[in-house]
């Protein structure tokens, strides 16, 4: 599972299965997925979560000294699928710990994915350039700016929240 990444007609790299989930989240195409996040309760343990987008992902691009500053606001609903220990979902402190852990983990993974596409692959597969078009009044200005050349200098901010709902 994964994605092949092309720049024009040239293969520039491959993405992992988790990178593919990050791509779907950023591009607002995620229907659902099952992920495994580190447990905040027991070291070296994991929690399986079934995730869905709670709201559409909101992406925005600002140009700061000609470099793109890209923000993604993400809201995810998660349902617990499995865990090695019994857990009481009525314990709000425990639920908050799991939500915080899942949020931190997803944020790290999404940022890694975004920097991989910009710094390593130099490919805007999420279409952020469309959000930057508003800064250019003509096609010639856009062409002279050379979005893909500047995309590799992008900075990213991911504002994400995970809301844990009762499991099945």
């Amino acid at each position: 599972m994964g994605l092949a990444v092309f720049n024009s007609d040239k293969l520039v790299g491959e993405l992992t299965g988790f990178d593919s989930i990050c791509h779907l989240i950023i591009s607002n195409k995620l229907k659902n997925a099952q992920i495994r996040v580190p447990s905040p309760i027991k070291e070296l343990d994991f929690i399986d979560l079934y995730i869905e987008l709670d709201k559409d992902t909101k992406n925005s691009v600002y140009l700061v000294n000609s470099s793109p500053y890209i923000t993604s606001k993400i809201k995810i609903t998660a349902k617990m699928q499995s865990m090695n220990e019994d857990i009481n979902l009525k314990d709000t402190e425990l639920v908050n710990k799991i939500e915080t852990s899942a949020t931190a983990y997803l944020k790290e993974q999404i940022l890694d994915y975004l920097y991989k596409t910009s710094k390593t692959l130099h490919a805007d597969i999420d279409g952020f350039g469309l959000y930057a078009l508003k800064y250019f009044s003509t096609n010639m200005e856009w062409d002279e700016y050379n979005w893909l050349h500047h995309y590799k200098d992008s900075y990213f901010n991911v504002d994400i929240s995970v809301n844990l709902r009762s499991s099945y």
Side-chain angles (χ1 to χ4, degrees):
M1 186 168 106
L3 289 173
V5 179
F6 289 85
N7 189 346
S8 291
D9 61 347
K10 182 180 176 190
L11 176 69
V12 292
E14 297 175 2
L15 298 176
T16 65
F18 207 99
D19 288 338
S20 300
I21 291 171
C22 294
H23 169 67
L24 293 172
I25 290 170
I26 293 293
S27 61
N28 205 33
K29 295 177 183 171
L30 179 74
K31 300 292 183 209
N32 57 61
Q34 182 139 347
I35 63 170
R36 177 171 269 199
V37 300
S39 171
I41 302 158
K42 186 176 179 184
E43 196 174 333
L44 302 176
D45 205 358
F46 294 91
I47 300 171
D48 293 325
L49 298 175
Y50 175 86
I51 63 169
E52 300 173 298
L53 286 174
D54 190 33
K55 293 184 178 180
D56 289 350
T57 299
K58 303 289 185 206
N59 296 310
S60 58
V61 175
Y62 303 97
L63 296 182
V64 179
N65 296 327
S66 294
S67 294
Y69 180 79
I70 300 168
T71 299
S72 295
K73 293 184 179 183
I74 304 163
K75 297 217 180 280
I76 290 185
T77 299
K79 295 179 181 174
M80 195 162 347
Q81 295 293 295
S82 67
M83 187 173 163
N84 288 348
E85 298 198 16
D86 290 330
I87 177 171
N88 180 3
L89 288 177
K90 293 179 183 176
D91 181 350
T92 55
E93 186 178 322
L94 188 55
V95 169
N96 287 339
K97 279 184 180 179
I98 294 170
E99 287 175 341
T100 301
S101 176
T103 297
Y105 180 76
L106 280 170
K107 181 176 184 170
E108 178 184 348
Q109 295 301 313
I110 291 169
L111 282 170
D112 286 349
Y113 156 76
L114 290 169
Y115 280 111
K116 181 189 291 185
T117 63
S118 68
K119 306 284 187 220
T120 305
L121 304 176
H122 309 290
D124 180 15
I125 65 172
D126 295 302
F128 291 122
L130 295 174
Y131 300 97
L133 283 173
K134 66 183 177 186
Y135 297 106
F136 304 92
S137 31
T138 66
N139 262 352
M140 188 185 327
E141 286 180 14
W142 173 252
D143 290 341
E144 287 174 4
Y145 178 74
N146 190 358
W147 171 254
L148 286 180
H149 174 74
H150 284 87
Y151 181 65
K152 65 182 172 51
D153 299 323
S154 294
Y155 296 94
F156 296 97
N157 177 38
V158 173
D159 180 10
I160 183 170
S161 66
V162 175
N163 182 13
L164 185 64
R165 304 252 168 116
S166 62
S167 58
Y168 293 107

